[in-house]
């Protein structure tokens, strides 16, 4: 299992850490900063899910007209991880 870290932009979360296994499934998603309850829920909901499907599902979610959200930033983090695995 490989560990990834991502520094999100335009959101309250300051860092996203997660692991991806050899089959491309997500594990141990952790956000630093942001809305703890919501971000813990995202981590629980996507645990063990296929990275490509989760990135597609979360891509484009907007938070308060920012043009992005913590979920959207997670999709970018996943895309980057998929390119670098």
């Amino acid at each position: 299992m490989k560990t990834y870290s991502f520094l999100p932009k335009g959101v309250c979360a300051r860092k996203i850490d997660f692991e991806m296994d050899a089959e491309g499934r997500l594990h141990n998603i952790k956000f630093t900063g942001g809305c703890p309850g919501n971000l813990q829920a995202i981590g629980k909901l996507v645990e063990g899910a296929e990275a490509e499907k989760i990135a597609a599902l979360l891509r484009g979610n907007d938070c308060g007209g920012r043009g992005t959200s913590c979920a959207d930033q997670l999709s970018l983090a996943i895309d980057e991880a998929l390119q670098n695995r």
Side-chain angles (χ1 to χ4, degrees), residues 42-83:
I42 288 173
K44 289 177 180 180
L45 289 168
V46 305
E47 177 64 31
E50 186 180 322
E52 289 181 14
K53 287 183 181 178
I54 295 303
L57 179 68
L58 298 179
R59 189 174 295 112
N61 277 313
D62 181 64
C63 179
R66 296 176 188 212
T68 191
S69 66
C70 291
D72 181 55
Q73 291 293 300
L74 177 57
S75 76
L76 298 176
I78 293 168
D79 288 343
E80 186 176 286
L82 288 168
Q83 290 177 5

Side-chain angles (χ1 to χ4, degrees), residues 3-24:
T3 301
Y4 297 91
S5 289
F6 182 81
L7 300 176
K9 296 177 182 144
V11 296
C12 299
R14 298 181 306 279
K15 187 176 175 191
I16 304 171
D17 295 301
F18 61 97
E19 296 176 341
M20 190 170 12
D21 63 26
E23 290 79 34

